[in-house]
Amino acid sequence: MTTEATQQSAPGTGTKQPPPQRPQHVRRSAMTVAPIVGLVVVFAIWELYVRVFNVSPLTLPTPWSILVHLREEPGFYWRHAQVTLLEAAWGYGLALGASLIVATFMAHSRFVERSSMPVIVLLQSTPVAVLAPVFLIWFGFGYWPKVLVAAVFCYIPFTINEFTGLRSVDPNAYELLRSVSASRTEIFWKLRFPQSLPYLFSAGRLCVGLALVGAVIGEMFGGSTEGLGNTARVGQVRLLIDQLWGSIFVLAFIGVIGNLLLAAVETRVLRWHSSQDLPGGSAAAL
């Protein structure tokens, strides 16, 4: 037996030993620090680029100057962020509820599926931004035009993913439930819906950003005087660069927090699903 083989085998055996695993607290610390490291690297490169190449603040301010501006005006951004967050949340919830209903009917009926697909394709092919003035005419000034724009942005990803999840069931499990005379309702709650949750959470993460985009577009084109979309528009028109980038930073922060909260819920709800396993099926991959 060679020296290399001896090092990879247990004493007195010919079997290879698994690589040593990192302690659990080390793995958790790495998972917590990794996103922070990524953000720090991006902001550091941005800061260095602006300073080294002497980029004009009107073209691209430094991240540090934007953060200083946000620290000086916390109440201003908090007030407008509440408006945008409320609009995005209502649009997100409205799209989720509507998509669950439509996708459920589509998954149980080929006729409903075929009749719904052209409408979904039509909505998907329509630039949602052009609907903001239409909703403004229909519903006037207020929350509803922005909420509906956010809902339309989220509706297609939610519906397509939920429909795919409801149809992507284990055929053996499905036949087993049918063999014991399980009703459609029992099959739905015991098999279809649980198996669709990974698809639904995947769409949910995507729709966090889309809901914010919809709310902001609704504010920009809907004659709004409040919200981060309005502050960004005013910052652009009046060349208030700090306000423009401050609005962008706050929107990005809301999106990050929303994704983190959704990821925490997903981890708890889908503890049983293989999607929560690390690559290789083991936490030792870290």
Side-chain angles (χ1 to χ4, degrees):
M1 184 179 295
T2 63
T3 304
E4 181 180 356
T6 304
Q7 292 175 348
Q8 294 179 349
S9 303
T13 66
T15 58
K16 293 183 179 181
Q17 294 296 310
Q21 296 186 3
R22 298 181 182 180
Q24 188 175 7
H25 70 277
V26 174
R27 295 196 299 268
R28 289 180 177 176
S29 299
M31 293 293 289
T32 302
V33 172
I36 300 175
V37 172
L39 290 175
V40 169
V41 169
V42 169
F43 286 143
I45 294 174
W46 180 353
E47 188 86 20
L48 287 173
Y49 172 79
V50 173
R51 294 184 182 276
V52 170
F53 292 95
N54 198 25
V55 180
S56 170
L58 290 177
T59 303
L60 183 66
T62 64
W64 180 252
S65 66
I66 299 170
L67 292 175
V68 169
H69 170 71
L70 290 174
R71 187 184 63 184
E72 293 173 349
E73 299 286 347
F76 173 81
Y77 288 102
W78 171 245
R79 184 174 71 254
H80 289 283
Q82 286 180 296
V83 175
T84 302
L85 184 58
L86 183 62
E87 295 164 351
W90 273 103
Y92 188 97
L94 186 62
L96 175 59
S99 65
L100 287 173
I101 296 172
V102 173
T104 299
F105 280 104
M106 289 174 62
H108 287 87
S109 171
R110 290 288 183 182
F111 178 81
V112 175
E113 175 192 349
R114 290 181 178 273
S115 61
S116 300
M117 276 301 176
V119 180
I120 291 175
V121 172
L122 179 64
L123 284 175
Q124 191 175 22
S125 305
T126 303
V128 181
V130 302
L131 296 177
V134 175
F135 291 151
L136 182 65
I137 294 173
W138 288 354
F139 300 101
F141 296 91
Y143 281 105
W144 276 109
K146 294 85 174 179
V147 169
L148 291 175
V149 173
V152 173
F153 262 100
C154 299
Y155 175 74
I156 300 300
F158 269 135
T159 302
I160 296 298
N161 277 268
E162 178 63 8
F163 168 69
T164 303
L166 290 173
R167 280 284 176 86
S168 302
V169 297
D170 184 357
N172 295 325
Y174 179 77
E175 290 301 328
L176 176 61
L177 289 174
R178 290 288 301 273
S179 68
V180 296
S181 301
S183 65
R184 281 193 171 189
T185 302
E186 291 174 328
I187 294 175
F188 177 82
W189 289 112
K190 294 181 181 297
L191 180 62
R192 288 189 184 275
F193 185 70
Q195 291 295 326
S196 72
L197 286 177
Y199 296 86
L200 191 60
F201 275 108
S202 178
R205 291 194 299 269
L206 174 65
C207 289
V208 168
L210 291 178
L212 289 171
V213 171
V216 168
I217 289 179
E219 291 168 354
M220 286 183 169
F221 292 92
S224 178
T225 58
E226 294 181 306
L228 294 172
N230 176 67
T231 60
R233 180 180 59 83
V234 171
Q236 177 193 14
V237 172
R238 300 181 181 177
L239 289 180
L240 302 174
I241 303 302
D242 286 340
Q243 179 172 313
L244 172 61
W245 279 98
S247 302
I248 295 173
F249 265 44
V250 174
L251 284 167
F253 177 76
I254 293 173
V256 169
I257 295 300
N259 270 284
L260 290 176
L261 292 175
L262 191 60
V265 174
E266 179 182 6
T267 301
R268 183 170 295 274
V269 173
L270 297 181
R271 286 177 294 182
W272 53 273
H273 196 266
S274 59
S275 63
Q276 300 306 305
D277 292 338
L278 293 170
S282 171
L286 283 175

